[in-house]
Amino acid sequence: MAILTNDMVALGTSVATKAEAIAKAVELLAAAGKIDPRYGDSMLGREKVANTFLGNGIAIPHGLPKDREMIRDTAIAVVQIPGGVDWGQGNTARLVVGIAAKSDEHLEILSNLTDVLGDAEEAERLATTPDAAVIVAKLTGTEQPATASSGSGLDEFANGFDAVIEGAHGLHARPATALVELSKGFASEIRVSHGGTVANAKSLISLLKLGAAGGATIRVSADGADADAALAALKAAIAEGLEDEGEAAAEAGAAAPAGGAPAYDYAGQTVTGISSSPGMAIAPIFQFAREHIVFQPDAADPALELERLDQALHAAFRQLDELYDEVWKKSGPAKAGIFRAHQEFLEDPEMIEAAHTLIRKGRSAAYGWEQAYSERADILAGMKDPVLAGRAVDLRDAGRRVLRQLAGVEKDASALPTAPCILVADDLTPSDTAQLDPRLVQGLCTAGGGPTSHTSIIARSLDIPAVVGAGAGVLELVEGTPALLDGSYGLLVTNPTEGDLEHARAAIVDLKARREAEQRDCYKPALTTDGSRIEVVANISDLAEAEAAVNAGGEGVGLLRTEFLFVHRDAAPSEEEQIEIYSGMLKAMNGLPIIIRTLDVGGDKAIPYLRMPVEENPFLGERGIRFCLSHEAIFRTQLRAIYRASANGPVRIMFPMISMVHELDAALRIAEEVRAEVGAEKVEMGIMIEIPSAVMMAPELASKVDFFSIGTNDLTQYALAMDRMHPVLAKQADGMHPAVLRLIERTVAAADAAGIWVGACGGIAADPVGVSVLTGLGVKELSVSIPSIAAVKAQLREQSMASNKALAKRALACSDAAAVRALR
C-alpha cells in the first residue's frame, strides 16, 4: 500500500505558525483514517524536545515514540507552503513532510529526501510546483532523474569508468572510507555518481548519501593533472574489493546467536530485541541520558566564529586520538578503528563548508556545526540499508564531540551509574560504550542499533551482555524497575517472576563457573601433551596492565610499548618519571620478567614535540632504532631509566626495527656506556625481527644478542609490501602468508644455531592458527593481549608439539594465507 499519494499533498498552503502547518498535516492524515487526531498533540510535543527542521526549507514533524499506538497505518502527508513558515531558530519551512510511522516503510521517503536537502533548486521546485504528482514522484522515488547531478552543484567529468560495487551492503562506511582515503591522495577532483546523484569522492558523507547498494553500478570520473593515475588506482581498488565491514558482521554473527526460541519461556514482561553480546544480567534499570548542550544561534563576528570552529575541530580530533589509544590498548586496533572513522567525519569537506556557509550568514559556530552534522546524520538514519543507517550514530557522536567545545553544557546528565544496573539508552555512541565499567553496567539495552554496530563490538570486547534494537518503548521504563537481560536471545525482561530469576541465576552461575575454571587454569603452564613448554606473556603499555597481566596468568611481559609514555604530553618524560613507571611495573610483576622495548616511533606513530622529520614515506624513514640513534639524548635518558629501574626486577631490553648489523652495534655500544655510568648489572639484550633484511642477517645478529622477538605485523607489511593500514590492501596483509612463515622459519633456524630463543608478538601470536603454526616453527614465547592469555595457554595444553610441527611444515608448502588457514 502506498504511504504517500496525491490526495495526501496540500498545495499552495498559507499558514501563520508552525502549529498551523502541523495541524494541516494532521488533518490530511486523520481524514484518510491513518491516525487518531490526538496524534497532532504528540507531533507538537516532539517539537518541544527536538528540532525537526532538516534544511533547505524542509521539516519533518512526527510524534513521540510513546504515542505510536495512535497510528493506524504508516502514512505521509505533505504541506506545501510557498511563502514559508517560521520553524524556529531562524529556519523557514516551505515543505512540511508530516510522518506517522507505525513501521519502517517511511524510511524510503526519508532516503529520497537526500537529493532535495543538498539541492536548493530542487527544493525550490517542490516548494512551488502546482502539481502534487511531482512531489509524490520525488519522495517515493518514482521520478526519473534527468541528469546526473548531486544537487549540490557537482557534475560528472568526461574522463571516467563504470564499476560494480560488490558486497551485501554496497558502498557503506568502510569501503566508502577506503575510497575517500585513496581519492585524497590525488590532486584531481574526483566524482562518484549513482542513480542520478553525484558525490564528492573525497567526502565520506557525500559517498554514503549515494545509497549505492550491493551490485549497484557507479561511475567514477576525475578531472585534473593526475586524473588518469587517480582513475587507474581507483579502478584497481574497486576491482580488488574495497575494505569491507564483513569482518564486523562476521564477528557479530559469531558472538550473537542466530536467534530462535529461547531456552526458557519468561513469565515477566518481555521486550524482544536483537542479541548483540551474549550473557545474562540481573539488575535494576538505569536510564542513560546525555548532557543538554545549549548555545546561541547567532553571532556578530563570523571571522571569530570560523576560528572557533576550527579550534574545536582540532580539539575533538586530538580527543579522538586519545580515545583511539585507550581503546586500542584495552581492546585492540580493530575495536579502536571506529574512532579513526570519526576523525574522517570531522575532516569531511562538504560538512565543514555547510557549517562555514551558515556562519558567514551570521550564525554562531555551534549553530552552524550542529545544523551541518545533524542534517547529514538524519539523512544517513533514513537510509534503507541498516549498516548505512547505523553510521548516523557515529556521525552524531563525532558531531557532539565538536559541539561540546563550542557550547555550554546545561546539565551533565551523562554520568554513568554508581551501582550495578542494566543500562538502557536510545542508542550508545562508541565514546559512551568505551567508558562503561562492566563491574557496574552489568547489561545493556538500547532502543536502536544493531549487532554489527561498532558499539556492539566494543560491548562484546568488554564482556557486557547486550540487547539492541529493542524499540522506543524501553525508554519509557521507570528507572529502578527490576529486570533481567538475556543477551544470548535478545530479551529484556522487566518485573521478572521468581521462576525467571531462578533460571537467570542458574545461567549466570554456569557461565561464572566456566570462566572461573578458565581463570584457575590460566596459571598453569602452557605445556603441550607431549611435554613442550611455551611461555605465554603479555603486551602492555602501563602499570594497570602490568597488574592485569599477572592476574590473567601471564608469565611475564613480552612487550612493553614505551612509546605510550611519550604521547599526549608537551615534552618527553624525565628520567626520574620513567624510573618510577618502570619500577612500578617491575614490582607489580613480582619477579616475572619484563621485556622493555625502547622508544619505537615513526611510521604511523608520530609525536609532535619530538620534532620528527617530515618524510615522504615515514615507514621507510627514521623509525624505531634509527630515530633513537639520531636523537641520542632521548635514547640515553630512557636507557638510564631502564637500567636504574632494573634493580626492582628482571628486565630485558629490546631494540625495535633493527635492519642492519651496524645499527645493533651502535645501540649495544650506547647501552653498555649507559649501564657502566649508572653501575647497573647486565641484562639480557634482544632485538625485534620486523624487517626482511634482519631475517637475512639473522645469523650475524644472533651472535650479538640473547633473544629475538618477531614483530609479525611489521614483518608482514614489509615482506609483502602492503601497508597494514592501507584501505584496500590491509586485508591481504596476513601474517599467515607462507612468505612470512618462511621468514620466521629462517629466523628460528639462525637463533637455534646461535643458542638463543625466539618469541613472537603481533596479531598472529594470539590467532588460533597462528599459535599452532608459530610454535610448530620453533617459537618459544608468545606475547599476546591480556584477554587472550588464558585462551592461548588452554589451546596449547590441548595440543601436541608433534602435531604443530607437522602443521607448520604443511603451512610452509602452501601458496597463500588462505590455504594456510584452511589447514586442519
Side-chain angles (χ1 to χ4, degrees):
M1 178 184 297
I3 63 171
L4 177 60
T5 55
N6 291 355
D7 59 344
M8 298 295 285
V9 178
L11 296 171
T13 304
S14 177
V15 297
T17 66
K18 173 167 53 172
E20 287 183 27
I22 292 175
K24 184 62 178 177
V26 170
E27 180 183 332
L28 291 170
L29 291 166
K34 303 298 184 182
I35 62 169
D36 182 319
R38 292 175 297 169
Y39 192 64
D41 292 333
S42 185
M43 283 188 170
L44 292 173
R46 166 74 72 172
E47 296 298 321
K48 294 178 181 178
V49 298
N51 184 2
T52 62
F53 185 81
L54 285 185
N56 248 350
I58 299 171
I60 54 166
H62 50 290
L64 296 166
K66 66 182 181 65
D67 298 320
R68 199 166 285 172
E69 70 275 4
M70 296 182 187
I71 302 171
R72 294 165 185 154
D73 289 301
T74 295
I76 304 290
V78 179
V79 181
Q80 183 199 61
I81 311 170
V85 63
D86 180 21
W87 213 261
Q89 296 185 339
N91 298 309
T92 299
R94 304 177 70 200
L95 200 70
V96 176
V97 182
I99 301 173
K102 191 179 184 68
S103 64
D104 61 0
E105 295 166 301
H106 69 294
L107 294 181
E108 183 175 0
I109 300 292
L110 292 179
S111 179
N112 291 330
L113 282 170
T114 300
D115 291 345
V116 188
L117 287 173
D119 187 344
E121 291 182 4
E122 184 67 359
E124 174 69 21
R125 182 173 79 99
L126 295 185
T128 57
T129 179
D131 188 354
V134 171
I135 296 175
V136 172
K138 183 65 182 179
L139 297 190
T140 58
T142 57
E143 179 182 68
Q144 294 300 314
T147 59
S149 173
S150 71
S152 57
L154 301 180
D155 294 300
E156 293 179 356
F157 298 117
N159 188 12
F161 64 89
D162 293 334
V164 175
I165 294 297
E166 304 294 344
H169 297 291
L171 195 61
H172 54 93
R174 201 166 294 178
T177 299
L179 201 152
V180 168
E181 291 179 359
L182 283 174
S183 298
K184 285 182 176 179
F186 298 93
S188 295
E189 292 188 58
I190 303 172
R191 305 282 187 256
V192 179
S193 55
H194 168 66
T197 301
V198 181
N200 177 358
K202 298 180 183 181
S203 164
L204 176 60
I205 298 171
S206 184
L207 288 178
L208 292 178
K209 285 161 58 178
L210 287 176
T217 297
I218 62 172
R219 179 161 183 80
V220 182
S221 58
D223 183 56
D226 57 359
D228 290 339
L231 291 173
L234 290 167
K235 188 173 185 178
I238 294 170
E240 184 69 31
L242 293 167
E243 181 73 8
D244 195 79
E245 288 196 8
E247 294 88 350
E251 182 176 356
Y264 179 82
D265 185 14
Y266 294 103
Q269 296 173 316
T270 303
V271 177
T272 302
I274 301 168
S275 174
S276 172
S277 180
M280 189 81 72
I282 302 173
I285 295 293
F286 178 90
Q287 289 285 355
F288 178 88
R290 290 193 192 88
E291 72 276 9
H292 179 49
I293 300 176
V294 293
F295 53 84
Q296 293 298 319
D298 301 320
D301 188 344
L304 177 61
E305 295 302 299
L306 289 171
E307 182 180 352
R308 290 185 65 231
L309 177 58
D310 185 62
Q311 292 173 347
L313 287 167
H314 280 88
F317 201 93
R318 289 194 299 272
Q319 289 177 357
L320 289 166
D321 264 337
E322 295 174 9
L323 195 52
Y324 175 87
D325 288 340
E326 179 184 339
V327 176
W328 189 94
K329 290 190 289 181
K330 184 187 295 182
S331 305
K335 308 297 187 299
I338 180 55
F339 299 109
R340 291 295 187 231
H342 282 202
Q343 290 177 322
E344 191 69 48
F345 280 135
L346 299 189
E347 293 183 318
D348 189 275
E350 290 188 354
M351 185 162 66
I352 293 173
E353 181 55 34
H356 284 182
T357 298
L358 288 170
I359 292 170
R360 294 188 191 104
K361 292 179 179 179
R363 298 299 195 179
S364 68
Y367 179 89
W369 176 253
E370 194 271 342
Q371 288 292 308
Y373 84 75
S374 294
E375 175 184 318
R376 285 153 180 80
D378 287 340
I379 292 170
L380 291 180
M383 302 295 278
K384 291 168 238 178
D385 187 285
V387 172
L388 286 173
R391 298 294 79 82
V393 174
D394 297 323
L395 176 52
R396 288 193 177 99
D397 187 15
R400 288 177 68 86
R401 185 174 296 280
V402 177
L403 196 59
R404 291 187 194 99
Q405 305 291 324
L406 295 167
V409 177
E410 189 173 79
K411 181 180 71 169
D412 185 2
S414 63
L416 292 173
T418 57
C421 69
I422 293 173
L423 188 145
V424 175
D426 182 16
D427 205 347
L428 288 170
T429 68
S431 302
D432 298 328
T433 316
Q435 301 176 61
L436 300 182
D437 184 347
R439 294 170 297 181
L440 296 178
V441 181
Q442 303 198 344
L444 287 174
C445 181
T446 62
T452 62
S453 68
H454 298 288
T455 51
S456 292
I457 294 170
I458 293 176
R460 286 192 292 274
S461 75
L462 296 175
D463 199 26
I464 300 176
V467 174
V468 298
V474 298
L475 303 178
E476 306 301 321
L477 294 174
V478 177
E479 189 158 311
T481 299
L484 71 82
L485 184 138
D486 188 337
S488 299
Y489 288 98
L491 301 173
L492 175 67
V493 183
T494 57
N495 296 309
T497 66
E498 186 56 38
D500 295 338
L501 293 173
E502 286 181 7
H503 166 77
R505 292 186 191 110
I508 292 172
V509 169
D510 288 345
L511 180 61
K512 183 179 179 181
R514 187 161 64 250
R515 290 179 177 169
E516 285 178 349
E518 293 173 353
Q519 182 64 28
R520 286 194 300 271
D521 288 346
C522 78
Y523 295 108
K524 295 180 180 179
L527 196 66
T528 63
T529 58
D530 48 2
S532 293
R533 170 75 180 271
I534 303 296
E535 288 191 0
V536 181
V537 294
N539 301 326
I540 70 168
S541 302
D542 55 35
L543 176 58
E545 289 184 343
E547 296 168 346
V550 175
N551 294 333
E555 298 170 288
V557 170
L559 174 62
L560 169 56
R561 305 182 187 93
T562 60
E563 56 269 21
F564 281 100
L565 292 121
F566 289 74
V567 299
H568 308 316
R569 51 192 302 151
D570 298 324
S574 67
E575 180 176 336
E576 296 302 321
E577 185 178 354
Q578 291 186 65
I579 292 170
E580 182 180 355
I581 293 170
Y582 301 144
S583 297
M585 292 181 180
L586 285 163
K587 292 173 183 176
M589 296 305 294
N590 197 27
L592 295 173
I594 294 183
I595 296 179
I596 301 180
R597 181 177 68 186
T598 57
L599 183 60
D600 183 14
V601 294
D604 58 348
K605 291 177 282 190
I607 300 178
Y609 67 79
L610 291 183
R611 297 180 182 177
M612 300 171 70
V614 176
E615 299 172 306
E616 185 173 345
N617 192 337
F619 282 95
L620 300 180
E622 284 195 353
R623 283 198 69 186
I625 198 63
R626 294 173 185 166
F627 177 87
C628 289
L629 294 177
S630 65
H631 296 74
E632 195 170 316
I634 293 173
F635 189 37
R636 285 180 176 271
T637 296
Q638 183 178 38
L639 288 170
R640 279 196 299 272
I642 294 172
Y643 276 118
R644 290 176 62 190
S646 67
N648 294 286
V651 167
R652 296 165 181 161
I653 295 176
M654 179 166 67
F655 302 125
M657 299 301 297
I658 295 290
S659 62
M660 302 179 186
V661 174
H662 74 81
E663 293 171 340
L664 176 58
D665 287 339
L668 289 172
R669 174 183 55 78
I670 294 171
E672 178 56 24
E673 290 173 1
V674 170
R675 186 196 68 78
E677 289 172 10
V678 301
E681 296 292 327
K682 288 189 175 183
V683 302
E684 289 188 27
M685 310 295 291
I687 64 171
M688 294 198 72
I689 301 292
E690 306 168 272
I691 304 173
S693 64
V695 175
M696 303 310 293
M697 299 302 295
E700 289 78 6
L701 295 170
S703 67
K704 299 173 181 290
V705 295
D706 301 297
F707 66 92
F708 286 159
S709 182
I710 300 171
T712 61
N713 295 340
D714 274 319
L715 182 61
T716 298
Q717 76 169 349
Y718 286 119
L720 301 181
M722 290 179 178
D723 182 352
R724 55 193 170 100
M725 302 301 290
H726 191 280
V728 175
L729 300 176
K731 60 186 177 184
Q732 298 180 53
D734 189 338
M736 298 309 298
H737 194 286
V740 180
L741 299 181
R742 291 173 193 179
L743 290 172
I744 295 173
E745 179 193 33
R746 187 174 185 130
T747 300
V748 171
D752 287 347
I756 66 173
W757 57 272
V758 179
C761 56
I764 65 171
D767 183 293
V769 178
V771 168
S772 301
V773 173
L774 288 176
T775 54
L777 289 172
V779 172
K780 305 299 184 186
E781 178 201 80
L782 299 175
S783 191
V784 301
S785 63
I786 294 169
S788 300
I789 291 173
V792 170
K793 295 176 80 173
Q795 176 181 335
L796 287 166
R797 285 194 295 267
E798 295 174 355
Q799 296 177 329
S800 71
M801 186 54 64
S803 64
N804 286 355
K805 287 181 177 179
L807 179 66
K809 184 175 181 180
R810 293 164 60 205
L812 292 170
C814 289
S815 60
D816 56 33
V820 173
R821 293 192 176 278
L823 295 174
R824 293 291 185 268

